[in-house]
Amino acid sequence: MNTQSLLAAAVGALIALATGPVAAQDMIPAEQAVRHVGKSGMVCGRVDRARHAQNTEGEPTFLYMGGTFPRHTFSARIPGSIRGNFRPSPEELQGKDICVVGNIQRDASRAEIAVSSPSNIKLADIR
């Protein structure tokens, strides 16, 4: 079993404990999210970088996944209006393995989910 398969299996097990049954085939690796644009899904991976764009309209926070910024393949966009609702804070997710649930859209050559609630992000504590 390769590392990505192991990661997917571990994330699936942890999410199932927290939220109920989740099929491993329903998890989309961040590197493959662009293949699922226009669909709802659960994109999983490590947050390479978290960035609060204070000088951008709406002051969003971006969680970059699927590679090293700026060559990442996926981002989760958290509007500034709800970032205060997150515990842990979005910046504390940097370096953590998470899954983001929502409608997968295209942003330039990448995929993105616009997060509408803290419940759209599930923290997976993989050891």
Side-chain angles (χ1 to χ4, degrees):
M1 186 175 260
N2 66 29
T3 304
Q4 191 171 8
S5 297
L6 245 164
L7 174 65
V11 169
L14 290 169
I15 291 172
L17 289 173
T19 63
V22 174
Q25 66 268 18
D26 293 338
M27 292 185 298
I28 302 165
E31 297 80 9
Q32 296 176 14
V34 74
R35 297 179 191 167
H36 300 272
V37 167
K39 301 176 185 171
S40 290
M42 179 172 47
V43 178
C44 300
R46 182 171 301 267
V47 177
D48 180 62
R49 181 175 175 198
R51 179 176 157 259
H52 182 198
Q54 293 172 305
N55 296 325
T56 301
E57 184 178 338
E59 297 188 13
T61 299
F62 295 95
L63 305 178
Y64 300 117
M65 300 163 57
T68 304
F69 179 86
R71 292 182 174 85
H72 61 288
T73 58
F74 175 79
S75 60
R77 182 174 34 88
I78 301 168
S81 61
I82 66 168
R83 65 175 263 114
N85 298 336
F86 283 80
R87 301 289 180 266
S89 72
E91 291 80 7
E92 292 178 81
L93 296 173
Q94 185 166 314
K96 306 268 194 252
D97 293 302
I98 66 169
C99 290
V100 184
V101 178
N103 191 25
I104 303 166
Q105 298 298 317
R106 182 172 294 278
D107 177 41
S109 62
R110 299 174 182 93
E112 175 181 274
I113 290 179
V115 176
S116 60
S117 165
S119 65
N120 293 128
I121 297 177
K122 308 293 182 199
L123 181 62
D125 185 20
I126 299 173
R127 300 185 195 270

